[in-house]
């Protein structure tokens, strides 16, 4: 049992109404790995520059994340992203993107990384996602994320990659943009027709929805009184979701298992946004995760009270 | 046991990507009454012009809605609203508003209307909401809706009216606008400090959230593949919510009762948007309402699977 995740490991500069960080550990694969590490063994496949030092490596190692497939390109710098959020704390405004080492990223996976039970293709160039997928002979489950940039610039490659995975994780706007269909259930139907069994739609502060053979399932957003930094919430969601599922590869992925995975994803996402970058994800305890899972149960429960409706009409 | 609702009874002209209607029965009190009529006795307090005829009256009467407090002003016309929705089917663009009879609306309630067990102050001028509230000696529960127009133009009067009710029902944007607080849980806390026990936040396609002493509760939006016309969804929600609660005035309003009310509200709202105006609300069956309530249960259920989380970090 192990999750392999391929994606960016980066430095981020972040600015929100609650403060700023000049250069902290970021990247989709980082947030994902940390979140998933609370559930299962994780290997991260990525590339960094020689600005990535022992301090950053220690974050992964202290969570038992295998970094053998994290390669370093000497003389180059790591992927860098700088973004700003306004009071609404919704979409980030990108201030700067430096691809650096990520420009030529096209990994050859180690034998161990290929033998994963769950593979997650975080948001990177869709052809790279496809080639990584093709290197893994028999994962029990493959997930994929993407973003508006690839939908606009590499749509056919993205469609092909989506056809090779079991679960697609996108946000609301990306689902509509990918399909050109404003109605969400119809848009999701189009994506499922490409191959995936399940589509998970991230909806920011409104939570997440999942469409699968088990029907429609929804998890609300966690009602935090202070959101410090939304960066990485979607990747933390995916980490919790696929990390939890990796514990259930034996029994297949029944409907309730997928639902619990979506709730654990929401739990990890809700923690992620409590601090800058991955700060909160680095210091969670199991008790906190389980306690918040119970919060989600309480937030959604209701017991039908039999009601003889009056006749009318 | 009876609900009294005070609000607009109107004619609407509607245009959506699925078609148009030139002049159909509309108004907050209409949508509310029809939705609530599936649960309890309803009296509508409102004013219409002499363009409101037997055909419109029959819609209320066929649902057993008492129209004794619906007054007619001879020689004047009913409130008229014309709106258009784009492909996104979110906010309406108002094309025309004719207040007509509603301009001088300041009702004196009949003795029967005053003796209601549940009072709902639909979206009208806040001073009128207050004066109606003051006419009702002992309702078990009072609810209030409003809109951006009154928040901008009559804020102190609205704050005063809110202080006199038990449950406030507003949409997401209105809650933020009223309080000037972008964070929803904090904004809701401000509103509850004015007096209301509970705040229900309507979130369009994302469903609804409720903040009360029972904590936070969320209901997702119903995943309809075809939304024909969102007009009246919020009023149908309130009708289902308060109509259901009127059946439970004896036992007080426990947490699970409020939660079921929010689900019934969501059920009625989901039906409302399947057709133009109140068309769908006019022709529901109890079996359909109960079936969709069960859909909401299925859409939100998950059973915890015990998981020994691995140690890490």
């Amino acid at each position: 049992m192990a999750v392999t995740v391929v994606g960016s490991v980066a430095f981020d500069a972040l600015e929100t109404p609650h403060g700023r960080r000049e250069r902290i550990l970021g990247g989709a694969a980082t947030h994902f790995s940390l979140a998933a590490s609370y559930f299962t063994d994780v290997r991260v496949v990525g590339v960094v520059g020689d600005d990535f030092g022992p301090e950053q490596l220690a974050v992964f190692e202290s969570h038992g994340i295998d970094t053998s497939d994290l390669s370093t390109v000497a003389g180059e710098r790591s992927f860098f992203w700088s973004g700003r959020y306004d009071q609404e704390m919704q979409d980030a405004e990108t201030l700067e993107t430096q691809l650096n080492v990520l420009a030529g990223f096209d990994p050859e996976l180690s034998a161990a990384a290929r033998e994963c039970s769950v593979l997650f293709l975080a948001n990177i160039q869709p052809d790279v996602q496809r080639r990584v997928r093709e290197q893994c002979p028999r994962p029990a489950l493959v997930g994929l994320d993407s973003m508006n940039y690839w939908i606009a610039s590499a749509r056919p490659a993205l469609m092909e990659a989506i056809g090779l995975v079991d679960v697609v994780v996108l946000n609301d706007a990306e689902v509509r943009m990918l399909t050109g269909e404003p109605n969400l259930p119809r848009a999701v139907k189009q994506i499922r027709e490409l191959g995936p069994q399940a589509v998970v739609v991230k909806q920011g502060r409104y939570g997440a929805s999942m469409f699968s053979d088990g029907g429609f399932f929804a998890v609300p957003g966690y009602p935090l009184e202070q959101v410090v930094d939304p960066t990485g919430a979607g990747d933390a969601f995916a980490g919790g979701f696929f990390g939890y599922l990796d514990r259930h590869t034996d029994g297949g992925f029944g409907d309730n298992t997928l639902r619990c995975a979506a709730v654990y994803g929401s739990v990890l996402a809700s923690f992620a946004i409590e601090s800058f970058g991955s700060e909160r994800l680095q210091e969670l305890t199991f008790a906190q995760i389980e306690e918040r899972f119970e919060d989600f149960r309480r937030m959604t429960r209701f017991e039908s009270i039999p009601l003889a409706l009056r006749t009318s009409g």
Side-chain angles (χ1 to χ4, degrees), chain A residues 4 22 29 89 108 112 114 168 173 184 197 203-204 228 257 262 268:
Chain A
T4 289
E22 286 308 333
M89 290 293 224
E108 187 80 14
R114 292 171 193 229
V168 168
L184 191 68
Q197 302 160 29
Q203 298 171 315
V228 170
T257 308
L268 273 293

Side-chain angles (χ1 to χ4, degrees), chain A residues 248-264:
Chain A
H248 295 87
T249 49
D250 292 350
F253 303 102
D255 182 38
N256 188 60
T257 308
L258 285 170
R259 288 172 176 231
C260 287
V263 177
Y264 276 110

Side-chain angles (χ1 to χ4, degrees), chain A residues 125-143:
Chain A
Q125 208 282 332
D127 288 313
V128 177
Q129 290 179 313
R130 178 178 49 77
R131 286 194 287 271
V132 169
R133 169 67 193 91
E134 289 166 352
Q135 291 176 53
C136 297
R138 45 182 164 278
L141 193 74
V142 183

